[in-house]
Amino acid sequence: MLKTISYMMALVCFILLASGAQAGKGSVNISVSPVPPALSTSIQFSEPSGNHILDAEETGKLVLKVKNSGQGDAFECVARISAAKSIRGLSFEREISLGTIPAGQTVVREIAVKANEEIPTDNAAFTIAVKEANGFDPPPVKVAFRTKALTEPKLIVADTGIHDASGNSRIEPMEMVELTVRVQNVGQGDARDVAADV
């Protein structure tokens, strides 16, 4: 009887050891979810005059393209815009929301860059960094362009003419005349809202 119990216990121990050895064999498949995105960015500057210079009282734009060439979506993407130095009279948005960028798609955003009448002639440089919620950030991109100060106008009276009834080109008592004044802008900038006091 005692031999039988010992035999049964030895058999149970053998089965447990064998099953433990079996549990250590084989392979485990671990899948990463979600699949990561692969973001890349490009930036271009454009302005109305086409001379690649942001003139005073002109509004240009930074055209930002963010492409997701990966197999997973990019979540809660944000573009952060910073200038290399502060330039008086230059204004732009510091942060643009891009939202979710699905796999295989491209998002395009236009960022307005405004120059008021106080802007100096200078060099402007920007860095655009795109941030993704899970840390799959693309490398920052840079863009640079020149700004140009307001060019002042210079108005002069270039010529005058008098048309009168007597035909002597003189303003005489009790005479109605028509005065013609030619005003010329010999400066480099446009003259706007010009008024004359007679």
Side-chain angles (χ1 to χ4, degrees):
M1 182 73 179
L2 188 59
K3 286 183 177 181
T4 305
I5 292 173
S6 297
Y7 177 76
M8 290 181 67
M9 288 184 67
L11 183 62
V12 169
C13 288
F14 176 76
I15 292 172
L16 288 174
L17 288 172
S19 63
Q22 289 293 329
K25 291 183 179 179
S27 61
V28 178
N29 292 327
I30 300 173
S31 60
V32 178
S33 181
V35 179
L39 297 177
S40 60
T41 56
S42 64
I43 189 78
Q44 286 185 332
F45 170 70
S46 66
E47 44 77 38
S49 62
N51 61 359
H52 204 68
I53 297 173
L54 189 65
D55 300 306
E57 299 184 337
E58 195 173 55
T59 298
K61 59 186 177 183
L62 302 175
V63 182
L64 175 67
K65 293 182 181 180
V66 183
K67 181 180 180 180
N68 183 1
S69 56
Q71 297 185 12
D73 294 347
F75 298 101
E76 299 176 19
C77 295
V78 175
R80 292 175 183 159
I81 302 97
S82 59
K85 63 181 176 181
S86 178
I87 298 178
R88 184 183 74 254
L90 187 66
S91 62
F92 57 94
E93 291 187 67
R94 306 278 174 174
E95 189 169 291
I96 302 290
S97 175
L98 305 174
T100 296
I101 306 175
Q105 293 194 21
T106 301
V107 169
V108 180
R109 292 287 187 276
E110 292 184 355
I111 305 159
V113 182
K114 299 179 181 179
N116 65 23
E117 68 278 359
E118 296 180 351
I119 198 164
T121 298
D122 206 339
N123 292 313
F126 292 87
T127 300
I128 296 88
V130 175
K131 301 295 180 182
E132 197 265 347
N134 295 311
F136 297 106
D137 305 339
V141 290
K142 296 184 178 184
V143 64
F145 54 87
R146 286 190 57 77
T147 61
K148 186 179 178 183
L150 183 67
T151 307
E152 295 183 358
K154 184 178 180 182
L155 298 178
I156 62 169
V157 176
D159 189 21
T160 59
I162 297 174
H163 177 72
D164 59 335
S166 62
N168 61 1
S169 298
R170 296 177 62 184
I171 301 175
E172 297 174 326
M174 306 302 293
E175 188 178 38
M176 295 292 294
V177 301
E178 181 181 285
L179 177 64
T180 301
V181 179
R182 291 183 176 87
V183 179
Q184 185 178 357
N185 181 3
V186 295
Q188 299 296 317
D190 295 340
R192 302 173 184 176
D193 301 324
V194 179
D197 291 330
V198 180

